[in-house]
Amino acid sequence: MRAALNSRRQFLRGASVLLAGAALPLRDLAATVDQPFGNGTRELVVYPQKRPLMRITTRPPHLETPFSVFNEGPITPNDAFFVRYHLANIPLSVDLNAYRLRVHGKVGQELSLSLEDLQRIGDAEELVAVNQCAGNSRGYSMPRVFGAQLGNGSMGNARWAGLPLRRLLQKAGIAADATQVTFNGLDTPVLPATSDFIKSLAIDDALSSDVLLAWNMNNEPIPMLNGYPLKLIVPGYFGTYWVKHLCDIEVINTPFAGHDALFMTTAYRLPDNECGCVPPGTQPANTVPIGRFKVRSFVTSLTNGSILHRGRTTQIKGIAFDGGYGIKTVQISIDGGVSWRDAILGENLGKYSFREWRVALTPTQVGPLELRVRASNTRNETQPAEAAWNPAGYARNVIESMHLVVV
Ligand SMILES: Nc1nc2c(c(=O)[nH]1)N[C@H]1C(S)=C(S)[C@@H](COP(=O)(O)O)O[C@H]1N2
Ligand SMILES: [Mo]
């Protein structure tokens, strides 16, 4: 889908949020929220441009979306969207008069562009895409793993608008022997010993048509904590590639390596095999950088312990998504996965989006009821019945099951 945006208007609207990030964190609430599927309780905190969200860590800020938000519609509102950072020196404001996006390295012509310059290169394009942290749901890994104990709220779905990365790279002119493109943002490490957060994409992936340099999220400038003023959108790929406050793009012709390549060479890697998994508690011999999402599906209209009534029909609702091939089916089971019933899919907002689904359920017996949900995509990839395990707890996509009570 194409939409030409008025860059002057965007620029002015962007300027109005400059001070919004100045007072982090704003305040704690005396409120907590249960994580879904019974994995503990989180404090709610309020940050600039955000409604109360679940606190995972404070420095750097890491906030999760309360799961009930995903039942409100397929688009996650900006003020409810999760926040994840790795470095504690994060920008609290960005002056658009000083901000420049630098493009350098193996290019014909180095570029240094204001946001307005970037917006003048070509028409903005729009797409709806899920951003999901690789560690989403890590807190359910069994045996437990190191790292932030995330529930299921480190994901969200938004409409992104911006310039295709390919257009910018074409303008700069890529050397014939270029192999990768690296991306850096305005956040920096506190100590020199800490690696900067820099990500890389293979040149072919960087030139693929759907990668965007986005300045809008759900028709607004991107919230400060989600990467104002410019965020790399890599649809279908885990959030780690979606570099926030993007300010530096380098085209290289050697493997990306060294101190500041840690988030490619050491972190965000999966065991190098089909399942991206190893026997629980063991280390993989070989790893590869994490890539696309696996298929996932969730019930959103009920929570663990919800009560249904015998003989009464309940409309059950949820969401499904995958790594960009598109959801084909969603099914539920109430007999432990022996038999499965098709759900009805909701509106298709594009192959990278959450897909809503619903199904009517009329329980016939009182007592406990286990509800399972699984999805498959257009490549017939589906979800495993048993959770695959890896040491970092990445890319969890086991079939979710919810424990209900019929009265
Ligand atoms: N500049 C910068 N960009 C970043 C990160 C970061 O630490 N710094 N973290 C990445 C990771 S791991 C995730 S999951 C997403 C989270 O995006 P969000 O905070 O907008 O939800 O941002 C990515 N982009
Ligand atoms: Mo992440």
Side-chain angles (χ1 to χ4, degrees):
M1 201 189 317
R2 239 167 211 280
L5 298 177
N6 176 330
S7 62
R8 179 78 198 152
R9 198 189 76 226
Q10 297 309 332
F11 177 72
L12 291 173
R13 281 169 79 197
S16 70
V17 301
L18 292 189
L19 296 173
L24 298 174
L26 261 198
R27 62 192 166 98
D28 289 6
L29 301 179
T32 61
V33 158
D34 283 337
Q35 292 195 97
F37 317 117
N39 204 27
T41 290
R42 296 290 187 200
E43 254 173 302
L44 291 176
V45 285
V46 178
Y47 276 73
Q49 301 175 290
K50 295 288 174 185
R51 70 174 80 172
L53 298 178
M54 295 154 83
R55 186 222 312 273
I56 303 295
T57 61
T58 302
R59 192 164 185 264
H62 189 177
L63 312 171
E64 270 201 326
T65 303
F67 204 74
S68 60
V69 168
F70 302 118
N71 195 45
E72 291 169 17
I75 300 289
T76 313
N78 287 3
D79 71 344
F81 213 94
F82 83 100
V83 173
R84 172 77 168 123
Y85 279 107
H86 296 78
L87 311 171
N89 272 338
I90 62 169
L92 303 183
S93 67
V94 176
D95 176 2
L96 288 190
N97 293 313
Y99 169 82
R100 293 292 179 274
L101 173 65
R102 202 174 152 229
V103 185
H104 61 113
K106 303 294 171 190
V107 293
Q109 177 201 8
E110 286 199 8
L111 302 173
S112 175
L113 306 168
S114 68
L115 187 61
E116 271 196 322
D117 296 336
L118 181 74
Q119 290 168 334
R120 273 195 291 258
I121 291 177
D123 286 342
E125 293 193 12
E126 277 191 13
L127 55 82
V128 178
V130 174
N131 181 10
Q132 179 186 216
C133 180
N136 193 29
S137 319
R138 172 191 286 141
Y140 303 106
S141 290
M142 220 30 100
R144 288 197 174 260
V145 296
F146 287 108
Q149 297 300 302
L150 305 181
N152 295 326
S154 289
M155 61 178 184
N157 189 40
R159 182 178 297 278
W160 310 96
L163 185 79
L165 173 64
R166 157 180 48 90
R167 297 289 306 276
L168 178 70
L169 293 176
Q170 282 161 356
K171 185 178 166 76
I174 295 169
D177 62 346
T179 52
Q180 287 186 65
V181 184
T182 70
F183 303 89
N184 196 0
L186 293 170
D187 48 339
T188 55
V190 176
L191 300 172
T194 308
S195 297
D196 201 353
F197 186 84
I198 305 178
K199 298 296 293 188
S200 68
L201 292 176
I203 195 83
D204 289 347
D205 293 334
L207 291 170
S208 87
S209 56
D210 291 333
V211 178
L212 289 185
L213 300 159
W215 51 81
N216 264 23
M217 174 174 177
N218 294 329
N219 304 312
E220 299 283 343
I222 294 172
M224 186 63 61
L225 290 165
N226 295 114
Y228 181 86
L230 194 69
K231 181 184 182 101
L232 186 70
I233 306 301
V234 191
Y237 282 75
F238 278 102
T240 179
Y241 294 101
W242 298 41
V243 175
K244 310 198 283 188
H245 318 290
L246 181 64
C247 64
D248 189 286
I249 297 177
E250 185 177 358
V251 178
I252 59 177
N253 63 357
T254 51
F256 183 41
H259 178 60
D260 285 330
L262 178 124
F263 288 95
M264 288 301 302
T265 54
T266 305
Y268 288 108
R269 296 177 71 91
L270 281 176
D272 184 11
N273 56 39
E274 186 70 20
C275 66
C277 67
V278 286
T282 67
Q283 291 292 327
N286 295 299
T287 62
V288 288
I290 197 166
R292 288 176 187 266
F293 307 146
K294 296 177 179 177
V295 184
R296 297 196 80 175
S297 57
F298 295 93
V299 173
T300 59
S301 62
L302 300 171
T303 58
N304 248 345
S306 284
I307 288 172
L308 304 181
H309 295 265
R310 177 164 56 108
R312 198 185 293 171
T313 301
T314 301
Q315 290 291 339
I316 297 172
K317 215 177 97 181
I319 51 173
F321 65 99
D322 79 322
Y325 304 106
I327 290 298
K328 191 169 84 179
T329 63
V330 176
Q331 298 176 310
I332 63 158
S333 173
I334 55 168
D335 58 10
V338 177
S339 64
W340 294 87
R341 274 181 48 202
D342 281 344
I344 297 165
L345 299 185
E347 190 187 350
N348 187 352
L349 298 178
K351 60 187 179 179
Y352 300 114
S353 170
F354 281 159
R355 187 83 189 256
E356 285 188 313
W357 57 266
R358 65 193 153 83
V359 68
L361 178 66
T362 314
T364 54
Q365 279 176 7
V366 295
L369 185 150
E370 190 202 344
L371 174 64
R372 296 189 189 195
V373 58
R374 78 173 180 201
S376 69
N377 68 4
T378 57
R379 299 179 131 201
N380 295 320
E381 293 161 344
T382 185
Q383 304 178 242
E386 301 273 327
W389 191 94
N390 62 73
Y394 291 143
R396 185 177 173 89
N397 81 324
V398 65
I399 293 172
E400 302 289 341
S401 68
M402 189 174 269
H403 295 273
L404 309 170
V405 182
V406 182
V407 297

